[in-house]
Amino acid sequence: MERQIDLAADNGVDFFLFCWYWRDNKGPLNPEAIQNLPHHTSLNLYLKAKNKHRVKFGLLVANHSGSEIIGAENWEKATEYWMTYFRDNQYVKVGGKPLIVLFNVKGIEEEGLASMQAVAGRGGLNGLSIAGCGSASTPGFTHRTHYNIIPGYSAGSEAHPYSELVEAHKKNWAGTPAQPYIPEVTVGWDKRPWEGANGLTQPEGWYFPDRTTAQFEGFLEDALDWMDRHPDQTTQERMMLLYAWNELGEGGYLVPTRDDPDASYLRVVRDVMTRQHKKTN
C-alpha cells in the first residue's frame, strides 16, 4: 500500500475513495464482520501506512446488492461507525465537511440522510458532504456525482469506440449551486473477464477497446474546462473523480500492469495536473 500511495502522490492523485461494505446485508450492524471483511483490506492497510500523509482518503459506500443498509436506524449506526474515519486529519473534505459518496441513491431515504447529518452534528462536526451517484434527487444529498457511466452495460457483447463513453459522461456533467456536481472520468471499460459462467456471471455488455492516452488526456482536459466554465455548478475545490485506480476486472485502472508497466494513463494524470497547477498558481 505504501508503494501505491507514493505512486498516486507522485502522479497527481490527491485522494483515494475506498469502497466500504455494510455487514450484515439487510440486517443490523456487525462490526466484527466489517472489520474482518477482505474487501476492507486496502483501507486498513492505508490507515496503517507510514506515508498516508501524502494522499487523503474517503469512503464510497457500496450499498448495492449484498451490502444493503436498510432503514434510518442502520444509517445512523453506520455513520457512528464512520466517525472515526471522519475525524482523521487525512479524511477528504468538500466545503470543510467530510465527503462521503453513496453508490446506490435508491438505497436510502430522506430520513436516513437526515440521520447521517444528525450523527455528524452530535459528534462535533459541522455536517457532512453527501454525494449520490446518479440522480441523487432525494432531499438530503448535498452533492451529485457518478461512480461511472457505462452505455450498453448489459446490451450484449459489442465493441464500441471510447469516444462514445466520453460523450456519455459529458452529457451528464451538470450541477446547481444548491447541489454541485463532481465530474467523473472513466479511464476505461471492459468487463468481459467478469462476464458469464467463467467470470462473476455478470451480463454481457459493451466494451471500449480503442482508447488511447491522447483520448484520455482530452477527456481530463474537458472535465477541467467544464469546471472552469461552470464554477457555480461544481465544488469550490474543483474536485474530479477518476474511475478507477485498480478495477482491473472491469478495464478501469491507472495502476501499472504487465502490458503497461509504465502506467501510461497515470502519467497522463500527472502531466495534465502539472499543467493545471501551473495555470492556477
Side-chain angles (χ1 to χ4, degrees):
M1 175 53 71
E2 291 179 358
R3 290 176 61 191
Q4 293 192 63
I5 290 171
D6 284 339
L7 188 64
D10 290 343
N11 287 280
V13 175
D14 293 328
F15 64 92
F16 290 137
L17 283 183
F18 291 98
C19 289
W20 189 92
Y21 301 84
W22 171 266
R23 289 294 183 272
D24 291 319
N25 178 44
K26 297 183 179 181
L29 177 72
N30 186 336
E32 183 177 358
I34 291 170
Q35 185 61 32
N36 294 328
L37 193 66
H39 298 48
H40 296 146
T41 298
S42 57
L43 172 58
N44 294 332
L45 289 173
Y46 167 86
L47 293 171
K48 296 175 183 177
K50 296 177 182 178
N51 60 342
K52 61 176 277 198
H53 64 279
R54 299 199 66 201
V55 172
K56 292 185 179 295
F57 81 105
L59 299 182
L60 189 154
V61 181
N63 60 321
H64 48 52
S65 177
S67 298
E68 295 179 57
I69 305 173
I70 305 299
E73 182 178 352
N74 278 334
W75 281 102
E76 181 177 1
K77 295 294 184 184
T79 309
E80 290 172 350
Y81 187 95
W82 298 327
M83 286 297 292
T84 299
Y85 302 130
F86 297 156
R87 292 191 178 105
D88 192 300
N89 289 334
Q90 283 300 102
Y91 197 90
V92 67
K93 294 180 173 63
V94 169
K97 303 174 182 180
L99 170 68
I100 187 162
V101 180
L102 305 190
F103 179 88
N104 178 16
V105 296
K106 296 181 180 179
I108 186 170
E109 298 178 348
E110 184 176 358
E111 185 181 2
L113 292 164
S115 71
M116 292 175 64
Q117 296 288 8
V119 171
R122 291 197 300 269
L125 301 179
N126 63 343
L128 300 173
S129 291
I130 307 175
C133 293
S135 62
S137 58
T138 302
F141 280 109
T142 62
H143 295 74
R144 194 173 70 85
T145 188
H146 281 89
Y147 180 71
N148 54 27
I149 299 170
I150 309 299
Y153 179 87
S154 57
S157 184
E158 292 181 7
H160 282 252
Y162 183 69
S163 59
E164 289 186 17
L165 189 71
V166 172
E167 289 305 312
H169 283 68
K170 292 164 70 172
K171 290 177 182 178
N172 280 277
W173 291 345
T176 66
Q179 190 185 59
Y181 181 72
I182 302 171
E184 179 271 325
V185 169
T186 293
V187 182
W189 182 261
D190 185 350
K191 66 177 175 64
R192 285 178 293 173
W194 285 8
E195 294 175 351
N198 293 326
L200 298 178
T201 67
Q202 290 197 7
E204 293 185 351
W206 294 2
Y207 55 98
F208 305 86
D210 70 336
R211 66 170 185 158
T212 65
T213 52
Q215 286 178 303
F216 178 55
E217 181 175 5
F219 197 179
L220 290 173
E221 294 283 8
D222 286 345
L224 291 169
D225 179 66
W226 179 82
M227 288 190 283
D228 284 341
R229 291 183 291 106
H230 302 94
D232 60 329
Q233 295 187 36
T234 193
T235 63
Q236 291 184 352
E237 294 83 359
R238 291 170 48 80
M239 179 178 287
M240 179 197 310
L241 302 184
L242 301 181
Y243 172 89
W245 179 250
N246 60 356
E247 284 284 9
L248 297 163
E250 295 179 345
Y253 51 86
L254 292 168
V255 294
T257 64
R258 183 178 299 173
D259 290 338
D260 184 17
D262 295 326
S264 57
Y265 288 83
L266 183 58
R267 305 304 183 203
V268 169
V269 175
R270 177 197 62 192
D271 294 345
V272 169
M273 296 314 300
T274 297
R275 291 197 300 269
Q276 180 66 17
H277 288 317
K278 289 180 179 179
K279 176 182 174 182
T280 56
N281 293 330

